[in-house]
Amino acid sequence: AMPKIKTNRGAAKRFSLTANGKVKYKQAFKSHILTKKSTKRKRALRGTGYVSDTQAAQIKRLIPYK
C-alpha cells in the first residue's frame, strides 16, 4: 500500500477546516505591539478569516487528515 501522507505541522497549527470544507485561519498582526495600532484596525483583525478557493486547495494538500 501507499505510505500515509505526512501532515505539515506548521500548517496544521495555523489552519482548520469547516464542515463545508472551507479553510479557516486566525488574523495576523494581532498578537503584540498593539499600542501603535488603532482601535479600528485591531477590531477589524478580530475573529477568523477564510482562505480564498485558490489557496485553499494548496493548504488542504498540507493538512490531509484534518
Side-chain angles (χ1 to χ4, degrees):
M2 287 279 289
K4 289 196 270 186
I5 301 165
K6 277 199 172 182
T7 299
N8 180 304
R9 298 312 291 160
K13 289 164 192 174
R14 289 177 172 90
F15 302 101
S16 59
L17 294 176
T18 63
N20 291 330
K22 285 184 181 176
V23 181
K24 194 169 70 168
Y25 69 96
K26 182 184 178 289
Q27 288 277 5
F29 306 108
K30 188 65 171 58
S31 54
H32 63 122
I33 320 175
L34 298 170
T35 46
K36 62 173 83 166
K37 292 167 192 164
S38 69
T39 314
K40 183 180 180 179
R41 182 173 163 194
K42 286 185 281 193
R43 190 164 52 242
L45 290 171
R46 258 185 228 151
T48 52
Y50 294 97
V51 173
S52 67
D53 296 336
T54 323
Q55 289 177 313
Q58 294 173 312
I59 290 159
K60 280 179 189 174
R61 215 169 294 148
L62 298 174
I63 48 172
Y65 304 109
K66 246 191 163 185

